[in-house]
Amino acid sequence: MTTPANQHSPAASRHPHKAFWLSLLIIIWLAATLAGLWWFQQQNVRPFIGADDDARFWQASQAEQLLQPILAPLPAPAAGQVTLLQFWNPGCLCNQLSQRHFDALLHQFKADSLRVVAVAPASASDEDLQSFLRLNGERMDIVRAPAGFTLPASPALALFGPDNRLGYFGAWGFGALCTVANDDFFPAMVRAIQNEGYGPFANVAGDGCFCAWPGN
């Protein structure tokens, strides 16, 4: 027995309702995602150097001098060893975005060619420091910045050659996702600093996911 053309089975009659609720859920999910991205950008996307930050960080030569209070107390690097200063603020949500660039350097270079020193704010607790070491292993040293030290934003890094001359200072990347041109950007820079030298170069012009460095 055939069903008349103007009649529908019970199952078929329910399909429009399912499609409606599915579409509504997708719309709500998209709206929530867009709202979350907007909030994230409003809270965390900012210039690396803001209007109230120390303008001397725009110049690599002056940035090198400003970073000396961090570098000077460290032991002299081994022959051919590059020093990476990783400026890490434990309360910054942007840390997770730069982590992949940081991990890539640790995986590609052994300790005898790349010395890693994490620099935390003076206000960081012992628990913060231990948590960072647990997450990143014992490969690195971690120190607190001296009282009075300022930084435009974090996360940030500085690379110094075996002669303790600055090669690079600035951001891990720009944009809301902290991206760089290619994944070999920083490894290639480390190799250049080890061999023929590089910089000094300050990469600070742009907006991205950055947090203000905590005051003392």
Side-chain angles (χ1 to χ4, degrees), residues 106-117:
L106 266 63
H107 291 151
Q108 292 196 37
F109 298 96
K110 296 181 179 180
D112 59 353
S113 59
L114 180 66
R115 175 175 61 168
V116 181
V117 180

Side-chain angles (χ1 to χ4, degrees), residues 159-190:
L159 291 167
F160 288 86
D163 57 356
N164 275 345
R165 297 296 302 272
L166 179 67
Y168 176 92
F169 167 73
W172 284 99
F174 293 102
L177 299 179
C178 192
T179 54
V180 292
N182 61 74
D183 289 339
D184 195 51
F185 180 77
F186 288 109
M189 189 181 300
V190 171

Side-chain angles (χ1 to χ4, degrees), residues 173-215:
F174 293 102
L177 299 179
C178 192
T179 54
V180 292
N182 61 74
D183 289 339
D184 195 51
F185 180 77
F186 288 109
M189 189 181 300
V190 171
R191 292 190 292 269
I193 294 173
Q194 287 176 320
N195 297 323
E196 68 272 10
Y198 182 92
F201 175 50
N203 187 22
V204 296
D207 293 353
C209 185
F210 304 119
C211 299
W213 189 253

Side-chain angles (χ1 to χ4, degrees), residues 33-66:
T33 300
L34 291 173
L37 288 173
W38 177 86
W39 178 87
F40 180 82
Q41 290 189 341
Q42 291 295 110
Q43 295 295 316
N44 298 290
V45 175
R46 47 151 282 179
F48 185 83
I49 297 183
D52 297 329
D53 293 319
D54 192 333
R56 289 176 294 177
F57 279 104
W58 283 101
Q59 300 295 326
S61 58
Q62 296 190 56
E64 182 175 12
Q65 297 176 15
L66 294 170

